[in-house]
Amino acid sequence: MTFIRPTKLMLALAALVLLGFIPILHFLRPTSMQRPAEPAHADYPELPQIVHHHPPPPPQQWSLLDKLFGSPPAQTSCSTIPIPENYWETKDAFTPAFVSIPNNRAIKVGESVCVRVVVPAKPSRSEVLYTPFPNTPWDSIMIDLIGTTTNISIPIQLRMANDIRNTWRDHTHVYEADVRLRDPDEYRLTGYIEFRDAQWNPDGGLQPIDYNPEPIYVPETLSVVVHDDVFSPYSLSRYLELPLCSEPDSEGRWVHVDQLPFSPELVLPAENHNLTWLPYNCRLQPIRYQDFATCLSTTYPLMHWYGDSNIRRSLKKITTMGEWCSNSTNIYSNGTETRSCLCEDYSTPFKPFDARYRELILDLDQNGGHALEKPTDYSNVPAGTARMYLHKWEGLSYRNKPEWKTEFKKGITSRYGRPQMALISLTNWDAAFSSRTAFAVELSQLLEFVEKEYPPTTQLYIRTGQYYCCRSDKSPKTPRSYSRLRNAYFNQYVVDTFMERFGGTHQIHIWDVSSISERLPHYIRKENVKCPANHARAEVVEIENQVLMNAMCGR
């Protein structure tokens, strides 16, 4: 056998490989030949993909031994996995919509899998053409990964795969998402197509379409296994070790109280199905309303709140120190749930304040809250008290009588003082009654008023709209243009616009109530179909409040 003497160049190359400085495998990675996506339409201001303001997962690292003697982990990011060309050639007449998980394998806690949904071409039968917002999908798809043991539900935020064909009407479309799983379990997929052909977006006066979900084929054997890791920071056994939550938009999951490895009294109260909300990266502590009132009196003695009936329900909890709809006596009457706790409370008499008023001044202390009856020097707040200027509106829509700008034009802070915190709630009425273009115009005017009225010393809290799903609103008198996807994009537009305008000057906090309800199991989400007003029931309002209270006063 001939012995080959290594040259200096060979030794040098070997040394560099050992040190991991030559990313040879990078050049061996398959690349996509797909063309970049182009905007489908240019009639609207650009709208980004839905994103949530949570930290991204850490990149996967290959060890030196993996590089030299083994194979790297299977690529699971959608961007690194080519889409089979035959996906684009499927037709609805031969193939139903289907799900795939390419490179599927068992994963560790905190890792991600790529989920794809293929919607075969199906010619539209509608005489009216609906149009998606730019960079948004033609098809509205609701799909979840559900733990078979824990019943934890993870909604999948699909995006259009990066291919020009996804921007064409009446063509096969491919959607994908990298889904991060943090709880050990075996997960199965379930979902359906809500709308095709952009019918999720009845914008500019178009009528809502009947809600007739279309099934998606999921192979019975398709599942994702997440192996347990007791040392994972996401483990329920380590939940009480997490730092306290300081923001009201922490990503989380609903867990049944029977699955908690500690006392349920240490976490937020459960909703009516005995599920409690647990964030992944921080810990929520139950806060007494009396303690919240004390905190407000010292940290936020003057506040301005703008919102609709969902804010009213929140304040009913706050001003009664949590007593409103707080027990079985309040919630149930003659064996049935009372309407005010479940859904609509507008006509129910409420002693602390009159819900019919457009403007109210509320004082809050450890004994509760009440409306001030006589004008006063609103900026002069008594010690031990927090004061709130409440402005009820129907979003920025034309439904406001008088229009929402009227009070701003008179000056807000000149009449009601300069607050430490301003809370602004939008989307619910805007998605229902405003076109996307009209809303963009109104929102730009609101930003001008906010900049004029609230200096950087005023913290801004932006409340998303309520989660909406599982139906269309075709009320005979005033049909509302709600849809799950439309509301989500309105929410994202509001958040992005405020962050772009004030992110560099103000403290901005996103009170993300929409994501909280979105992660409830699907059968619970469907229960809200009983509520035409789309209000969260009282138990969920309590959890939404606790998320806000932890952000404002939990540190």
Side-chain angles (χ1 to χ4, degrees), residues 45-89:
E46 184 171 334
L47 194 68
Q49 295 282 348
I50 293 179
V51 295
H52 293 285
H53 298 273
H54 309 300
Q60 286 187 337
Q61 301 294 330
W62 302 352
S63 71
L64 184 58
L65 292 178
D66 282 335
K67 292 181 180 180
L68 289 177
F69 304 114
S71 299
Q75 294 290 348
T76 57
S77 172
C78 293
S79 62
T80 65
I81 306 174
I83 298 174
E85 190 61 29
N86 62 354
Y87 279 12
W88 302 100
E89 300 168 0

Side-chain angles (χ1 to χ4, degrees), residues 34-146:
Q34 298 162 352
R35 294 170 58 184
E38 299 176 3
H41 304 279
D43 298 332
Y44 301 95
E46 184 171 334
L47 194 68
Q49 295 282 348
I50 293 179
V51 295
H52 293 285
H53 298 273
H54 309 300
Q60 286 187 337
Q61 301 294 330
W62 302 352
S63 71
L64 184 58
L65 292 178
D66 282 335
K67 292 181 180 180
L68 289 177
F69 304 114
S71 299
Q75 294 290 348
T76 57
S77 172
C78 293
S79 62
T80 65
I81 306 174
I83 298 174
E85 190 61 29
N86 62 354
Y87 279 12
W88 302 100
E89 300 168 0
T90 57
K91 304 294 182 182
D92 182 79
F94 306 102
T95 308
F98 63 92
V99 176
S100 73
I101 302 180
N103 289 5
N104 188 20
R105 61 184 177 86
I107 64 173
K108 299 177 182 178
V109 169
E111 292 184 337
S112 301
V113 294
C114 172
V115 176
R116 286 191 174 129
V117 178
V118 180
V119 181
K122 181 179 182 179
S124 174
R125 298 178 181 177
S126 175
E127 297 180 357
V128 179
L129 294 182
Y130 290 73
T131 304
F133 300 134
N135 302 320
T136 66
W138 291 100
D139 311 296
S140 176
I141 302 170
M142 181 190 294
I143 188 166
D144 302 326
L145 275 166
I146 301 174

